[in-house]
Amino acid sequence: MSILASSASPVLLFATGASKGLGKAIAVSFAKAFQKKKITKAQAVLMARSCMDDTENLMVQEHNALQICQRRLDLADLNTLEPKFQDIWTQFPPSSATHALLINCAGTTGTVGPTSHLTLTEIEKATRLNLVSKLWVSSRFAQTYSPVCATTTIANISSMCSIKATPTMALYCATSAGRDIFHQVLAQDDDNNNLRVLNYAPGSCDTDMQSFLRTHDSLDSHVQAYCQSLETDQKLVDPNETADELVRRLLDQDFESGQRIEYTDVSTYKY
Amino acid sequence: MQMLLIVTGASKGLGKAITTGFCCMDSSEQQRQQLDRLHVVLAARSANLLEELGRTIMHHNESTKVRVTLSCFAVDLSDLDQLDSHFDRMFQEVNLSGFDRVVFVNNAGSLGYLGPCSSSPSLMGMKATIEFNVTSALWLSSRFAQLVQENSKDTQKVTLINISSLLAVEAFPTMGIYAAGKAARDNYHATMAKEMPRIKVLNYAPGPLETDMVKEIRAAPKLDKSLKPAFDKKLIDPHDSAKKLVNLVFSDKFESGSHVDYYDISS
């Protein structure tokens, strides 16, 4: 059922990593799409560690009747994760929406450098945020919303690193691969026949994450040369464009549940 | 040929089979490999089972020409706080450069929760599973890689085996956490292979084995019904799988960083 089929049905959107970069672009794309498709009853819960006023303002500019709520939280803090999400889900219960969507965007590259130089703390930090926290959030979201809502959709923001071993980015590669397959299984486990899961690799976006990699001392030299060439050749992906594509697919339900979609052709990743 | 073998999760199941696969070869095979000396470092939780395994190895080699020495460490590799000191103890008396062949088998692991992802266990349950199967395993491989970088000679053959699974590359319902851990491990090791041509890295999927782990799978109340037929039958003897792995390691016929499944290897 396309979420756009009935513009009067209430839609509930949860977006993590919403304060900047791709997360912000996705939230704003939703606002644009909701406005265009005249979706009038939409609530957006934005989650990030830092202030999301920028995101909220841009969303309001696109759609002035959106209800937007900001929730500051650190997904890496496992001690507060459960109570904070319980709170959110109590405030925005499944009964309040026909369609519920989770865009699981927050994450970390993890320490960049050779595997032989990584510390236990660095490995633990990356697995805690990119795996434990994110897998828990997706599974709890599915558990809470899919028994009640007509459609429950989860987008896991993936990366070409999940399918391409990239020197000095082992933590990102490992955790991306783990998340992708978990979300494939999540799609297979759908008991209620209304859970749709998408692994979406947005391409190398022109965000802080890319500029961090371009200038990083410990990034593999070939990978770095590739990242730098993306900038010089103007081949970086506009986060707004890839966000629009993701939002279109989600709202039109234009994907197979469990599918992995790459915005950019993987064969272009040459290093 | 002087060989150093390190195996985690060595006391039972596949870990034990791999250990005996390398340590209890028949004389003709030992001769073929020109094995003179074998030093074995084993880690597992059960001191008793390790001791028993140690006795089996030593007893077998009483009548062979191979000089075997053994160090067993009863350690819990899921305890991140103790991991470094366990690793230090395991390697403190080992001079890596004294061996022609070094094989590290990163095998210790657990199933984690079996059931629909949407009814996954507590957050702390997921954390414990991922800490053991991912964080701990990746760290042990990284520390091993560092040791190799600092101590190995160019003439040495160094092999790192990550015990993988079909679940690393193919999704099956109700096995999400296990799949996530295996996929993460595979990709980490594939990346390590690209970084370090010095080590031949293998992601080995041993096939569905007749071990305690499969008993756990069979008994899991929430295992997807469609998977039951695959497990409710006689499965592969872990010794057969171990034999294939041992032959593969000695033949060196695999690409570093690749995922090789038991069924990919012809007998």
Side-chain angles (χ1 to χ4, degrees):
Chain A
M1 177 202 293
S2 162
I3 290 167
L4 308 173
S6 166
S7 54
S9 304
V11 177
L12 188 45
L13 169 71
F14 298 93
T16 69
S19 59
K20 53 183 184 151
L22 183 64
K24 175 174 162 187
I26 291 170
V28 176
S29 284
F30 268 110
K32 262 194 311 197
F34 290 156
Q35 173 69 12
K36 195 165 172 201
K37 301 295 179 183
K38 299 184 175 33
I39 291 175
T40 48
K41 294 184 192 146
Q43 296 179 97
V45 182
L46 308 177
M47 292 169 271
R49 278 175 307 177
S50 35
C51 180
M52 293 156 271
D53 283 351
D54 237 12
T55 309
E56 183 166 346
N57 292 336
L58 287 169
M59 288 174 81
V60 163
Q61 279 173 38
E62 299 289 346
H63 189 320
N64 57 15
L66 259 183
Q67 283 184 50
I68 300 168
C69 169
Q70 290 187 33
R71 286 298 177 102
R72 301 271 292 265
L73 49 81
D74 183 358
L75 290 171
D77 183 355
L78 299 187
N79 296 321
T80 58
L81 201 64
E82 274 189 282
K84 289 210 165 177
F85 270 93
Q86 200 43 62
D87 217 32
I88 291 171
W89 291 330
T90 305
Q91 195 187 345
F92 300 95
S95 52
S96 64
T98 306
H99 305 288
L101 299 108
L102 167 69
I103 315 304
N104 214 341
C105 187
T108 174
T109 56
T111 302
V112 174
T115 49
S116 56
H117 286 46
L118 294 173
T119 68
L120 177 56
T121 305
E122 287 167 339
I123 298 174
E124 190 276 333
K125 217 167 145 189
T127 59
R128 182 172 13 110
L129 173 55
N130 287 352
L131 280 179
V132 183
S133 175
K134 292 191 72 166
L135 300 195
W136 184 85
V137 170
S138 283
S139 62
R140 276 297 186 272
F141 174 78
Q143 188 181 35
T144 307
Y145 291 88
S146 92
V148 180
C149 302
T151 71
T152 302
T153 308
I154 298 175
N156 165 49
I157 300 304
S158 178
S159 163
M160 61 86 182
C161 281
S162 78
I163 56 172
K164 189 175 165 78
T166 307
T168 68
M169 293 199 65
L171 288 174
Y172 196 53
C173 290
T175 56
S176 298
R179 270 210 318 281
D180 270 18
I181 204 161
F182 182 87
H183 284 87
Q184 282 179 50
V185 176
L186 185 60
Q188 291 179 0
D189 284 345
D190 175 25
D191 296 331
N192 301 297
N193 281 322
N194 64 348
L195 178 66
R196 314 279 322 289
V197 183
L198 173 63
N199 284 323
Y200 185 76
S204 305
C205 297
D206 191 3
T207 61
D208 284 352
M209 192 180 265
Q210 269 298 316
S211 56
F212 167 74
L213 291 173
R214 266 197 307 275
T215 54
H216 200 293
D217 284 338
S218 305
L219 184 66
D220 176 85
S221 56
H222 291 112
V223 179
Q224 190 157 59
Y226 168 77
C227 291
Q228 284 165 354
S229 73
L230 289 177
E231 194 193 23
T232 20
D233 300 345
Q234 294 179 319
K235 288 198 168 134
L236 284 169
V237 171
D238 179 344
N240 298 308
E241 283 180 16
T242 190
D244 284 348
E245 171 64 7
L246 170 63
V247 168
R248 180 194 69 75
R249 284 197 180 262
L250 293 174
L251 294 182
D252 286 346
Q253 300 274 285
D254 180 16
F255 60 96
E256 296 292 322
S257 189
Q259 186 181 359
R260 185 174 188 285
I261 291 173
E262 284 268 357
Y263 182 75
T264 319
D265 182 357
V266 179
S267 66
T268 61
Y269 298 126
K270 286 181 171 40
Y271 50 76
Chain B
M1 189 262 283
Q2 308 206 48
M3 178 168 158
L4 168 65
L5 172 70
I6 310 119
V7 184
T8 68
S11 61
K12 49 182 189 153
L14 181 66
K16 180 177 172 183
I18 291 173
T19 305
T20 53
F22 278 110
C23 299
C24 302
M25 292 188 289
D26 62 39
S27 293
S28 58
E29 187 56 30
Q30 286 174 340
Q31 265 172 45
R32 226 160 59 86
Q33 300 303 337
Q34 298 177 302
L35 190 61
D36 306 299
R37 181 183 165 232
L38 178 58
H39 182 62
V40 192
V41 176
L42 303 179
R45 276 173 306 175
S46 164
N48 290 342
L49 291 177
L50 282 175
E51 254 176 75
E52 198 183 304
L53 178 57
R55 281 196 292 273
T56 303
I57 294 169
M58 298 310 283
H59 180 70
H60 173 88
N61 285 292
E62 273 166 14
S63 53
T64 72
K65 294 185 177 151
V66 181
R67 184 164 60 94
V68 180
T69 48
L70 192 62
S71 291
C72 293
F73 296 91
V75 290
D76 179 358
L77 296 173
S78 70
D79 183 353
L80 297 187
D81 290 335
Q82 298 299 322
L83 210 53
D84 272 334
S85 73
H86 291 330
F87 189 92
D88 287 340
R89 280 172 52 220
M90 282 163 67
F91 283 91
Q92 71 185 11
E93 282 157 31
V94 173
N95 178 10
L96 217 72
S97 61
F99 298 93
D100 303 301
R101 215 185 230 289
V102 179
V103 178
F104 178 48
V105 185
N106 196 336
N107 164 71
S110 65
L111 274 172
Y113 172 76
L114 293 176
C117 291
S118 60
S119 66
S120 280
S122 65
L123 176 58
M124 291 305 143
M126 277 175 99
K127 173 178 181 279
T129 303
I130 286 169
E131 271 183 0
F132 181 31
N133 290 288
V134 185
T135 312
S136 170
L138 302 194
W139 177 228
L140 289 173
S141 285
S142 280
R143 281 218 61 185
F144 176 71
Q146 187 184 37
L147 206 65
V148 168
Q149 210 163 48
E150 289 167 2
N151 296 296
S152 76
K153 299 182 304 206
D154 283 341
T155 49
Q156 270 176 325
K157 289 191 166 159
V158 183
T159 312
L160 165 54
I161 299 153
N162 162 48
I163 297 304
S164 179
S165 165
L166 180 59
L167 270 288
V169 296
E170 199 173 322
F172 291 98
T174 67
M175 300 190 75
I177 292 275
Y178 188 68
K182 288 306 191 189
R185 285 166 69 137
D186 258 34
N187 215 359
Y188 192 85
H189 286 91
T191 304
M192 184 183 279
K194 285 194 171 177
E195 291 167 357
M196 293 190 72
R198 191 65 205 85
I199 303 179
K200 266 203 103 168
V201 182
L202 174 63
N203 289 318
Y204 179 64
L209 305 174
E210 203 58 61
T211 60
D212 284 352
M213 193 176 260
V214 88
K215 289 181 189 153
E216 227 185 292
I217 295 175
R218 286 177 184 136
K222 291 188 181 169
L223 182 75
D224 194 84
K225 293 189 175 59
S226 69
L227 298 181
K228 282 190 173 296
F231 292 110
D232 281 348
K233 60 180 185 186
K234 191 104 204 310
L235 298 174
I236 301 165
D237 183 334
H239 294 97
D240 286 343
S241 189
K243 192 160 202 285
K244 279 198 175 179
L245 175 63
V246 169
N247 289 342
L248 190 60
V249 169
F250 282 136
S251 72
D252 261 329
K253 284 189 180 141
F254 61 93
E255 209 181 296
S256 189
S258 62
H259 174 99
V260 175
D261 190 283
Y262 170 84
Y263 289 113
D264 293 337
I265 307 169
S266 50
S267 311

